[in-house]
Amino acid sequence: EAVIDMSDGGSLGLILVRDPDTGMGAIVRSITPGGKVEKTGAFEEGDSIVQINGIDVQDTDMREIGDLIKSSTILQFLIRRGSIETVVASIPVGDGEPLGLNLKPMDDGNGATVTKIISGQKAWKNGSF
């Protein structure tokens, strides 16, 4: 988490691009040397922006994210470093009860990402996800 005061009009020093996996949200593309973001030491290239000023921006269009940043004199960022979390879980199947996972295939065809865990179904009850 990082808080940045923009009231003096200095350079934020942050270049964001939309998340290529979802087409929404923002990822740090680069950090400008000497900018306010670099001075916090909290950001790295590739970080995902999760929230700005308490607002979840993961499913937000880049234009809206830009407007939110430009309209604020104090910026509070919540960031996520690393986008892949690996979970190993064993859940018995074959009894007719739904597993309760929504999956999105990886672009390279090797594996999948869990996009949703359905409350009350096997994966949710297992508690490993």
Side-chain angles (χ1 to χ4, degrees):
E1 189 170 321
V3 177
I4 301 171
D5 184 352
M6 296 299 295
S7 62
D8 66 0
S11 171
L12 183 59
L14 180 67
I15 298 175
L16 300 173
V17 295
R18 87 175 158 216
D19 185 329
D21 293 331
T22 64
M24 302 296 278
I27 293 178
V28 176
R29 182 172 132 207
S30 63
I31 299 166
T32 306
K36 292 183 178 200
V37 164
E38 182 189 49
K39 291 175 183 172
T40 70
F43 293 79
E44 290 183 11
E45 290 181 12
D47 286 348
S48 295
I49 307 299
V50 176
Q51 292 180 356
I52 301 173
N53 296 343
I55 299 168
D56 188 323
V57 295
Q58 295 175 95
D59 294 320
T60 304
D61 180 87
M62 283 298 295
R63 181 173 292 131
E64 293 176 63
I65 292 171
D67 290 345
L68 179 59
I69 291 170
K70 290 175 188 173
S71 68
S72 302
T73 55
I74 301 290
L75 291 166
Q76 181 177 3
F77 290 92
L78 179 61
I79 57 176
R80 179 178 60 236
R81 184 154 301 134
S83 60
I84 298 175
E85 182 177 335
T86 302
V87 176
V88 177
S90 176
I91 303 173
V93 294
D95 60 4
E97 184 182 350
L99 189 56
L101 291 176
N102 289 353
L103 303 173
K104 175 186 172 193
M106 301 294 279
D107 290 337
D108 64 5
N110 294 316
T113 302
V114 175
T115 59
K116 184 176 182 181
I117 300 167
I118 301 169
S119 179
Q121 294 190 357
K122 277 188 171 191
W124 181 83
K125 289 176 188 175
N126 178 274
S128 296
F129 290 88

